[in-house]
Amino acid sequence: MRFLIHMNTPEEEAALAGMLRLWARLTCADLETAPWDPAAAPPAVLFWDLDSRLPPPQLPDGPSALLVCSSSSQAAIDSYSLHPDGFLHKPIRQEDLHAALRRCIKVWWDALDRLEILSDRLRVRLPLCDLVWAEGARRGCLVHSSHECISNRESLSALEARLPGALFFRCQRSFLVNLTHVQKLDSQGFHMSDGAVVPLSRNSRAAAVQAYQRLRRLMEEGSAPEEEGNIHE
């Protein structure tokens, strides 16, 4: 999946590329970013800075999305004539970028990394970003996604070994959480996006706080350095 970027300055282009790398890490998506090139194949998403005074190109019909941005509030109104999939006010915030990309989810859905789960006689391919939390069971484990609970034949430890450690945390012997789905952490444990509260063991509390705060800091900083490598490493 390719995201092409046309920003008004090289500094803004580098900042947006860093934010997109972070989004790809948190979403577990296979993403490549590059500067806009009119000779390149149509991108999945094109980011276009209206402050550059150049009109965005006409994207061909198909699985492509246009996200425009500007430091001018008037540009948001003027951009309606371009029929963009979203408008981002500069300076772009990470949370606003995430919201804009959610509006064009159909474009990048197929680029998500997926986890294959053997459930009874069915094989389920669950996007990693949709795995909210998991719990050990007598015969394997139960995987809780945003929409359903899936019975998995493998143990919780085997499941954990197939997940990126920077995003998933084993908070005690019987529970594992996706830190990106944690809404808050308190004395009760992890409060998850699906409403569940996953408890912490006494021995894991310090490590849980550290892992959660590390991810929150990364999201607040709004960029992922390239030298950090792939999220799965």
Side-chain angles (χ1 to χ4, degrees):
M1 179 177 61
R2 300 181 72 243
F3 285 7
L4 297 186
I5 304 171
H6 173 76
M7 299 297 286
N8 197 33
T9 67
E11 293 77 16
E12 290 177 319
E13 183 177 298
L16 178 55
M19 295 173 71
L20 288 169
R21 288 196 299 271
L22 175 57
W23 173 83
R25 291 186 61 193
L26 299 177
T27 313
C28 296
D30 184 8
L31 169 66
E32 173 192 353
T33 62
W36 163 249
D37 179 356
V45 179
L46 173 61
F47 291 85
W48 197 270
D49 189 350
L50 298 177
D51 293 345
S52 67
R53 305 300 181 184
L54 295 174
Q58 182 70 38
L59 293 176
D61 294 335
S64 295
L66 172 65
L67 296 178
V68 297
C69 60
S70 174
S71 56
S72 167
S73 299
Q74 181 61 39
I77 300 174
D78 296 340
S79 69
Y80 289 153
S81 62
L82 302 172
H83 304 292
D85 295 273
F87 177 86
L88 292 161
H89 194 277
K90 298 193 310 183
I92 299 172
R93 300 186 304 168
Q94 189 75 33
E95 60 185 293
D96 294 336
L97 177 63
H98 283 230
L101 286 169
R102 278 196 297 271
R103 288 194 290 272
C104 52
I105 188 172
K106 291 182 179 179
V107 173
W108 48 263
W109 180 256
D110 289 341
L112 293 176
D113 292 337
R114 285 168 164 75
L115 181 74
E116 188 171 278
I117 298 173
L118 182 60
S119 178
D120 295 326
R121 296 182 179 180
L122 300 176
R123 289 188 180 274
V124 180
R125 297 188 72 245
L126 178 70
L128 288 178
C129 62
D130 199 35
L131 197 170
V132 180
W133 62 288
E135 60 181 317
R138 179 175 297 180
R139 296 181 180 178
C141 63
L142 298 176
V143 174
H144 298 265
S145 75
S146 300
H147 309 289
E148 61 182 331
C149 178
I150 305 169
S151 176
N152 185 9
R153 292 184 183 181
E154 67 183 332
S155 67
L156 191 62
S157 295
L159 174 68
E160 180 186 16
R162 296 200 289 140
L163 299 173
L167 299 183
F168 291 86
F169 181 77
R170 184 78 172 267
C171 51
Q172 58 168 288
R173 182 177 181 181
S174 299
F175 296 99
L176 178 150
V177 300
N178 183 341
L179 292 170
T180 65
H181 280 276
V182 176
Q183 296 184 326
K184 70 174 182 178
L185 172 60
D186 60 18
S187 59
Q188 292 181 288
F190 285 118
H191 292 252
M192 309 304 296
S193 61
D194 66 348
V197 179
V198 179
L200 298 173
S201 67
R202 182 178 301 176
N203 294 334
S204 68
R205 179 165 295 275
V209 171
Q210 184 179 30
Y212 179 62
Q213 291 180 344
R214 185 188 305 119
L215 185 62
R216 297 308 303 179
R217 283 196 301 270
L218 183 62
M219 295 178 69
E220 290 170 4
E221 290 169 0
S223 64
E226 290 190 42
E227 58 268 18
E228 288 187 7
N230 191 290
I231 189 69
H232 296 282
E233 293 177 350

